[in-house]
Amino acid sequence: MFKRDVKSIKELILRNLREQGLETPLLQKRLMDAWPTVAGEIIARYTDGVTIRNQTLYVHLTNPALRQDLSMQRSDYVKRLNDYVGSQVIADIRFH
């Protein structure tokens, strides 16, 4: 009998994305889209834009007091966002 190497569709898609160099951009997009969910509705209301450069998430906030408050919780948000995506996508967050 032949022994088959059965893999799930998820494994095959992830391997294909990794081979084509598309896994990281996909994870970055998922992380940016997760910001309103992870941060919460009130913080999302004051968020003007989210981008990623060099494993750093840049969040533009319209409220200076909120910016200062979130800066003190940076490591918590880094962990929560990476956990939400399921991979180490960012290493830091900068609020401006």
Side-chain angles (χ1 to χ4, degrees), residues 35 39-50 59-67 70 95-96:
W35 172 252
E41 180 182 326
I42 294 170
I43 295 172
R45 226 180 286 154
Y46 292 103
T47 301
D48 195 28
V50 179
V59 180
H60 185 268
L61 297 169
T62 58
N63 185 321
L66 182 61
R67 185 180 315 131
L70 291 178
F95 298 101
H96 60 100

Side-chain angles (χ1 to χ4, degrees), residues 2 8 22 26 33 40 46 48 60 76 83-84 88-89 96:
F2 293 104
S8 69
L22 299 173
L26 177 65
D33 290 344
Y46 292 103
D48 195 28
H60 185 268
D76 181 47
D83 288 347
Y84 188 90
Q88 178 72 28
V89 178
H96 60 100

